[in-house]
């Protein structure tokens, strides 16, 4: 996708949902979670768009199983992942266990919004989740 972004450290909102990045042009990593390349699911999230146009994860839905993803860690090392699944889920039925639950090895989850935009709430009604395993 050609996405290059430093990663904001993301937290969790009082309702238990992942807080999105403050900057629409920057992705964020769930700082209380697993670092990319360590055993478990590392979670990186980014906005799909903003009022002014496409955001950092605008083309995330273009990924398909078999595509590669590289994450450069803070120490300069690179971890390679391979996409295994790209799935849309209603926010009301977010697959929490599949995204955050334990896994045997290093995995990656990329998350953005998708689906219809609800003008009343000012939010998309679905999430796009990309699942990837260590390549």
């Amino acid at each position: 996708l050609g996405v290059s972004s430093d990663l904001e450290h993301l937290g969790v909102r009082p309702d238990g949902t992942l807080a999105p990045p403050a900057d629409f042009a920057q992705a964020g990593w769930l700082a209380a979670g697993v670092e990319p390349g360590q055993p478990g699911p590392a979670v990186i999230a980014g906005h799909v768009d903003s009022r002014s146009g496409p955001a950092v994860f605008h083309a995330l839905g273009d990924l398909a199983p078999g595509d590669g993803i590289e994450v450069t860690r803070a120490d300069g090392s690179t971890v390679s992942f391979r996409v295994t699944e790209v799935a849309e889920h209603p926010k009301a039925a977010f697959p929490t266990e599949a995204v955050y639950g334990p896994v045997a090895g290093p995995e990656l989850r990329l998350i953005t919004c998708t689906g219809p935009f609800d003008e009343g709430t000012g939010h998309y009604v679905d999430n796009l989740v990309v699942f990837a395993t260590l390549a």
Side-chain angles (χ1 to χ4, degrees), residues 18-135:
L18 180 63
D23 185 341
F24 287 90
Q26 189 170 337
W29 160 66
L30 176 59
V34 174
E35 293 181 20
Q38 298 299 313
V43 177
I44 297 176
H47 293 281
V48 68
D49 63 12
S50 69
R51 292 183 188 268
S52 62
V56 66
F57 276 178
H58 182 75
L60 195 64
D62 293 345
L63 287 175
D67 287 345
I69 300 170
E70 290 188 348
V71 177
T72 302
R73 296 164 29 121
D75 66 5
S77 64
T78 300
V79 183
S80 298
F81 295 91
R82 185 84 39 217
V83 174
T84 57
E85 180 183 357
V86 178
E88 291 185 24
H89 299 277
K91 288 185 179 183
F94 188 81
T96 303
E97 185 64 24
V99 171
Y100 300 104
V103 294
E107 295 193 15
L108 180 67
R109 312 290 189 249
L110 304 178
I111 304 170
T112 196
C113 294
T114 194
F117 187 80
D118 182 336
E119 294 288 340
T121 65
H123 299 284
Y124 286 91
V125 299
D126 299 327
N127 282 117
L128 178 71
V129 182
V130 174
F131 295 85
T133 58
L134 199 60

